[in-house]
């Protein structure tokens, strides 16, 4: 942590709604000019009465649900869903009442084949997040109906910092990286300390091309966690 922060900056840091371990580990990026510019951009978008997903209270849902001290697995997505009611601040996850998007359907189909469990009737992955699966998107906000609209505004630097913290401050974490974007995002992960599992993206176009179905990320994750003295993830979603 940079000790040159002003009292005003430290006061601002105290107001950030994040678990203390994330807040302390990410203080430099949280107080950076990049994040100041990002906040200004978001304030402008809200002032223009644009609909932004997820809701303000859920923007940091992934970090709030999965504190740094509990992280065992990272599943990296790209953007939040940009349809009404879909985004909930957890990558690939949707609320129980929302139909499962195609990528999530394929994830749950692979899970069922991998661990021989029934395909879940819903797509709310909070059960995973509560067990230490950080469901992190590279960009944490998006405009309604405008995929990628908040890319290049500063979120990528923030989530790079999140990945860097996990890489340096944890051991034997599993990073599940689907698709070329996620693989590039994880290029600096120390493979001598962590396990990286890669496959094609679960979107229908990529998944049906081969390389996603049959990749067995869920059983591989549990095998690795158990082998290193960590508890396995209960991947079956409660109905």
């Amino acid at each position: 942590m940079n000790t040159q922060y002003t009292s005003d900056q430290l006061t601002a840091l105290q107001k950030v709604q994040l678990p203390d371990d994330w807040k302390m580990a990410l203080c430099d990026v949280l107080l950076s000019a990049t994040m100041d510019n990002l906040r200004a951009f978001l304030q402008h978008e809200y002032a223009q009465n644009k609909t932004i997903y997820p809701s303000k209270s859920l923007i940091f849902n992934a970090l709030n649900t999965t504190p740094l001290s509990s992280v065992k697995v990272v599943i990296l997505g790209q953007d939040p869903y940009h349809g009404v009611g879909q985004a909930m601040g957890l990558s690939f996850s949707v609320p129980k009442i929302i139909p499962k998007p195609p990528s999530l359907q394929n994830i749950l189909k692979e899970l069922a084949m991998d661990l021989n469990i029934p395909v879940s009737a819903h797509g709310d992955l909070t059960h995973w997040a509560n067990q230490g699966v950080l469901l992190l998107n590279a960009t944490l906000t998006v405009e309604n109906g405008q995929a990628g609209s908040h890319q290049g505004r500063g979120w990528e630097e923030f989530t790079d910092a999140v990945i860097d913290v996990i890489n340096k401050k944890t051991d034997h974490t599993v990073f599940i990286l689907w698709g070329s974007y996620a693989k590039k995002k994880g290029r600096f992960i120390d493979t001598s300390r962590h396990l990286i599992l890669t496959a094609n993206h679960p979107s229908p176009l990529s998944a049906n091309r081969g390389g996603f179905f049959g990749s067995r990320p869920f059983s591989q994750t549990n095998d690795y966690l158990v082998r290193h003295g960590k508890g396995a993830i209960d991947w079956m979603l409660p109905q």
Side-chain angles (χ1 to χ4, degrees), residues 38-81:
L38 174 59
R39 293 185 192 99
F41 164 73
L42 289 173
Q43 288 171 359
H44 176 268
E45 297 298 281
Y46 290 124
Q48 298 298 310
N49 292 319
K50 293 182 179 180
T51 301
I52 307 299
Y53 300 132
S55 62
K56 290 181 181 180
S57 64
L58 293 177
I59 290 175
F60 293 107
N61 193 24
L63 301 180
N64 283 317
T65 307
T66 312
L68 176 59
S69 58
S70 71
V71 172
K72 298 196 287 188
V73 182
V74 180
I75 298 180
L76 186 62
Q78 191 165 347
D79 277 347
Y81 294 120

Side-chain angles (χ1 to χ4, degrees), residues 197-210:
L197 299 175
T198 62
N200 282 1
H201 195 275
S203 63
L205 182 63
S206 296
N208 294 330
R209 204 181 287 141

Side-chain angles (χ1 to χ4, degrees), residues 150-166:
H150 289 187
Q151 291 179 8
R153 295 290 184 171
W155 280 128
E156 292 88 349
E157 288 85 345
F158 175 77
T159 52
D160 278 348
V162 172
I163 293 170
D164 186 58
V165 163
I166 298 168

Side-chain angles (χ1 to χ4, degrees), residues 70-192:
S70 71
V71 172
K72 298 196 287 188
V73 182
V74 180
I75 298 180
L76 186 62
Q78 191 165 347
D79 277 347
Y81 294 120
H82 56 269
V84 177
Q86 292 180 311
M88 55 185 297
L90 305 175
S91 63
F92 296 105
S93 181
V94 293
K96 286 185 176 182
I97 61 172
I98 298 295
K100 293 173 287 186
S103 293
L104 179 54
Q105 291 182 32
N106 285 338
I107 291 169
L108 297 177
K109 187 183 300 183
E110 171 62 21
L111 169 61
M113 292 188 294
D114 186 2
L115 295 179
N116 193 30
I117 60 176
V119 174
S120 172
H122 68 83
D124 185 344
L125 308 181
T126 303
H127 180 62
W128 297 358
N130 286 334
Q131 297 177 77
V133 181
L134 181 67
L135 298 167
L136 180 69
N137 280 316
T139 303
L140 300 191
T141 55
V142 70
E143 184 180 346
N144 175 43
Q146 303 292 323
S149 52
H150 289 187
Q151 291 179 8
R153 295 290 184 171
W155 280 128
E156 292 88 349
E157 288 85 345
F158 175 77
T159 52
D160 278 348
V162 172
I163 293 170
D164 186 58
V165 163
I166 298 168
N167 181 44
K168 292 177 178 177
K169 293 185 177 291
T170 72
D171 289 298
H172 307 307
T173 298
V174 181
F175 291 83
I176 299 177
L177 309 178
W178 290 320
S180 59
Y181 184 92
K183 293 172 188 174
K184 290 177 183 176
K185 188 85 169 169
R187 65 190 180 277
F188 297 119
I189 296 167
D190 183 353
T191 55
S192 70

